[in-house]
Amino acid sequence: MQKRPRQLPGKKFLSRVGDKWPMLRVVMRSDHGTIPFKELSQLIDAISPILLTETLKMLEADALLERKMDPQIPPKMEYYTLTALSESLVPPLMTLYNWDNAPKPAIKAARERSESHLRDQESADPKFRSTGEP
């Protein structure tokens, strides 16, 4: 029987960091302090409430968010705050965010060349599909 390779330490956490929704939330939250769920969902309007709830639970389980409930009975509002751990992620995430949003003429030019090359191939051979396979 073959042994399964051991999972690298931190792999699960890094996969969360690489997921667009959790990290977008971390960056968005960094400017807002403690924020109610409703305001958070308005800040990030491209996500369903169900996916937002699942994402927030995942971030809480990874110690990236702290959830607080209204002291009322029954609780009427949830509030979310970044933890010290997630605060330490904000500077590198902002660096990546800013890099991603900066103009990149080299990438634009490379994409245009690639698209032009594909169009040329499709023109030369009508059976050629965008996948590069005849």
Side-chain angles (χ1 to χ4, degrees):
M1 184 196 266
Q2 189 176 12
K3 286 176 107 178
R4 286 180 65 183
R6 288 183 11 178
Q7 194 173 32
L8 296 173
K11 184 178 177 185
K12 186 175 182 180
F13 180 78
L14 288 174
S15 70
R16 296 218 207 277
V17 171
D19 186 11
K20 70 177 180 176
W21 292 119
M23 292 307 97
L24 178 60
R25 275 164 198 68
V26 169
V27 170
M28 297 284 289
R29 301 257 321 107
S30 68
D31 293 337
H32 294 87
T34 299
I35 189 169
F37 177 88
K38 184 175 182 178
E39 285 182 38
L40 184 57
S41 69
Q42 290 169 349
L43 277 173
I44 309 161
D45 59 355
I47 188 171
S48 71
I50 292 170
L51 185 55
L52 176 58
T53 299
E54 290 172 5
T55 301
L56 292 170
K57 285 179 182 179
M58 178 185 68
L59 291 171
E60 185 181 9
D62 285 344
L64 294 172
L65 279 183
E66 183 178 314
R67 179 174 58 108
K68 296 178 182 175
M69 300 294 286
D70 254 348
Q72 301 175 16
I73 307 279
K76 300 220 181 217
M77 181 117 31
E78 294 178 326
Y79 296 89
Y80 293 90
T81 305
L82 293 179
T83 63
L85 179 62
S86 59
E87 287 284 355
S88 71
L89 278 172
V90 171
L93 288 174
M94 288 306 296
T95 299
L96 287 170
Y97 177 82
N98 292 332
W99 180 88
D100 187 46
N101 287 301
K104 294 175 201 59
I107 293 174
K108 183 179 179 184
R111 287 181 180 161
E112 288 171 356
R113 283 190 307 274
S114 177
E115 289 169 6
S116 175
H117 179 70
L118 286 174
R119 280 193 304 274
D120 292 346
Q121 286 182 322
E122 288 173 348
S123 297
D125 183 359
K127 293 180 184 176
F128 184 84
R129 294 179 295 193
S130 296
T131 60
E133 298 174 16

